[in-house]
Amino acid sequence: MKCWIYLMNPFVFACITPHGSEILEALSDDASLMARTRRSMNSLGHAMHQSAPQVIVVLTPHGTRAEGQFAIANPERLRGTVEHHDHAVVMERLVDRDLARDIAQTALADEVPTALLNYATSEGPLSCMPLDWGAIIPLAFMPEVPVVVINPPRAFEFTPHLRFGASLARAAAQCGKRVGLIASCDWSHTHAETGPYGFHEAAVKLDTQVVACIESGNFEALAAFEPRLIEDAKPDGLWQTLVLAGAIPPHVRRVEVLSYEVPTYFGMICAAVHAPKPDVQP
């Protein structure tokens, strides 16, 4: 079995972001509700703008899934709508298909189950797939550049996520472009009885541990969470963060947590994962 470990950080900027709809003021009836997270997202967006990426890779839990595989969207375009409080935000982005294919080829060569996804036609105006809210919300704060959107499988065996992250880093390093990386993650979804999943005391327990792991830069510790705790707390961020862990190794991982809050029924963390200085070449 091949398992590649990339030793540097090939991303000009990386971050962990939430994707609650009301982070966008256009979708909120109460601008104070997620104000702290919105300020943090503006800071992350500013940092991404300053890093001048030519393409942004988004790891989302809500896109089109391929069970047991890392699903990489590979149409010409992605287009989607997020609706909330009778308001809507529409977004369309071009796909960097060269990088999408390179990531898939590298992961498959590393024996990580991976699928390239398209719809309708191989190219042209009908080659378009849905852009989900897990990507739209963070991308609304970021530069308008082509994207690669990836949906990791939600299994409790996390080794493939670390391995896929290493494959992703190698493909990014070799593509010759300035690549940004977003791990789109909400955390426990059982903080409130009024939420769609009800209340469970596991929510506070899991989120407390997640914040500690992210603050310390020890993303790999998330792989040790018990399946029962995960099932009770219902986070959707573990899988993307573990891909990020594989993509940016601990010795070059400089993490800055901007905020954590639970304004409704789910937890939200904003964190920057800084790249090396620009004169350091991967």
Side-chain angles (χ1 to χ4, degrees):
M1 179 188 298
K2 297 178 182 178
C3 185
W4 300 93
I5 300 176
Y6 197 74
L7 298 179
M8 291 297 294
N9 180 357
F11 304 99
V12 295
F13 183 68
C15 53
I16 298 170
T17 73
H19 47 256
S21 299
E22 290 175 285
I23 299 170
L24 299 184
E25 282 196 68
L27 298 178
S28 178
D29 278 353
D30 179 2
S32 67
L33 180 64
M34 296 184 180
R36 186 181 181 198
T37 294
R38 190 176 303 117
R39 288 193 297 270
S40 296
M41 290 296 289
N42 282 323
S43 296
L44 293 175
H46 177 73
M48 186 72 84
H49 277 273
Q50 290 293 104
S51 71
Q54 296 168 291
V55 54
I56 296 175
V57 176
V58 185
L59 307 168
T60 174
H62 296 304
T64 304
R65 298 187 194 176
E67 194 67 30
Q69 296 177 293
F70 291 84
I72 304 175
N74 187 40
E76 283 201 354
R77 296 171 297 111
L78 293 162
R79 189 176 191 276
T81 304
V82 181
E83 298 180 342
H84 204 74
H85 292 307
D86 297 322
H87 303 293
V89 170
V90 180
M91 180 179 290
E92 184 173 313
R93 291 289 186 269
L94 294 175
V95 175
D96 188 323
R97 304 185 84 180
D98 290 337
L99 180 55
R101 291 165 181 154
D102 288 347
I103 295 168
Q105 290 170 4
T106 304
L108 289 169
D110 293 344
E111 300 178 4
V112 181
T114 304
L116 274 174
L117 307 179
N118 196 358
Y119 175 77
T121 60
S122 58
E123 58 186 43
L126 295 180
S127 179
C128 183
M129 289 178 62
L131 188 63
D132 71 274
W133 68 97
I136 290 174
I137 301 303
L139 284 174
F141 295 87
M142 304 296 166
E144 190 170 337
V145 296
V147 299
V148 175
V149 175
I150 302 172
N151 190 310
R154 291 204 199 182
F156 290 143
E157 168 52 54
F158 297 119
T159 301
H161 297 75
L162 296 167
R163 294 175 57 219
F164 182 86
S167 303
L168 168 60
R170 288 174 55 230
Q174 295 167 7
C175 75
K177 299 173 183 176
R178 296 177 61 83
V179 183
L181 178 60
I182 298 171
S184 179
C185 308
D186 286 336
W187 296 95
S188 296
H189 283 65
T190 55
H191 280 283
E193 191 65 51
T194 54
Y197 308 105
F199 172 81
H200 200 288
E201 61 187 11
V204 172
K205 180 179 179 180
L206 184 140
D207 277 13
T208 300
Q209 294 181 35
V210 168
V211 171
C213 290
I214 293 176
E215 285 181 335
S216 67
N218 186 12
F219 299 169
E220 290 79 3
L222 301 178
F225 284 9
E226 292 292 331
R228 183 74 262 169
L229 176 64
I230 298 170
E231 192 63 41
D232 290 340
K234 297 187 175 8
D236 69 22
L238 293 174
W239 298 268
Q240 299 83 257
T241 304
L242 286 166
V243 172
L244 181 60
I248 303 177
H251 71 280
V252 294
R253 191 183 298 155
R254 185 163 63 88
V255 182
E256 177 188 5
V257 174
L258 279 65
S259 63
Y260 166 76
E261 67 170 342
V262 189
T264 57
Y265 64 91
F266 57 92
M268 301 191 297
I269 298 172
C270 293
V273 185
H274 297 283
K277 294 180 181 180
D279 59 343
V280 176
Q281 297 298 319

